[in-house]
């Protein structure tokens, strides 16, 4: 492989956290995990709090940095259709 060639398996050098909040729904974790599953990611940790009909979900994941803008756009669109708030931050 030449020194300018890109590896066939991209490395998961980036790390981000997605924070989702809104009305509680049993399928929220599954829906966001499925959306992340469309990309080459590794989910490092998830935390979920359900209280008074509301949910706060945090997903810590490793990713290919080149894909983060697309991941963020997909998660934002999913949150919008589900009536949830979402933030994606690199950590």
């Amino acid at each position: 492989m030449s020194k300018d060639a890109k590896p066939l398996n991209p490395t998961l050098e980036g790390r981000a956290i997605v924070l989702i909040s809104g009305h509680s729904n049993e399928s929220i974790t599954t829906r966001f995990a499925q959306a992340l599953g469309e990309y080459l990611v590794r989910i490092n940790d998830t935390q979920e709090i359900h209280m008074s009909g509301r949910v706060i979900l945090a997903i810590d994941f490793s990713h290919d940095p080149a894909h983060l803008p697309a991941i963020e756009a997909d998660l934002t669109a999913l949150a919008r259709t589900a009536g949830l708030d979402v933030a994606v931050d690199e950590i």
Side-chain angles (χ1 to χ4, degrees):
M1 177 181 342
S2 73
K3 64 181 176 182
D4 294 327
K6 292 186 178 185
L8 295 176
N9 295 320
T11 59
L12 302 177
E13 296 175 353
R15 190 164 170 204
I17 187 168
V18 58
L19 301 169
I20 301 124
S21 65
H23 290 286
S24 188
N25 181 318
E26 292 179 16
S27 67
I28 289 173
T29 302
T30 302
R31 291 174 67 189
F32 278 90
Q34 287 173 341
L36 283 171
E38 296 295 317
Y39 297 92
L40 180 61
V41 299
R42 180 180 59 244
I43 295 178
N44 302 315
D45 192 15
T46 60
Q47 296 291 318
E48 207 172 335
I49 299 170
H50 291 269
M51 185 180 292
S52 300
R54 307 280 297 171
V55 64
I56 298 171
L57 171 64
I59 304 173
D60 172 354
F61 64 99
S62 298
H63 60 87
D64 179 341
H67 297 163
L68 188 59
I71 292 170
E72 185 170 5
D74 285 354
L75 295 179
T76 299
L78 175 58
R80 189 176 306 124
T81 62
L84 301 167
D85 295 320
V86 67
V88 179
D89 291 314
E90 286 193 83
I91 53 174

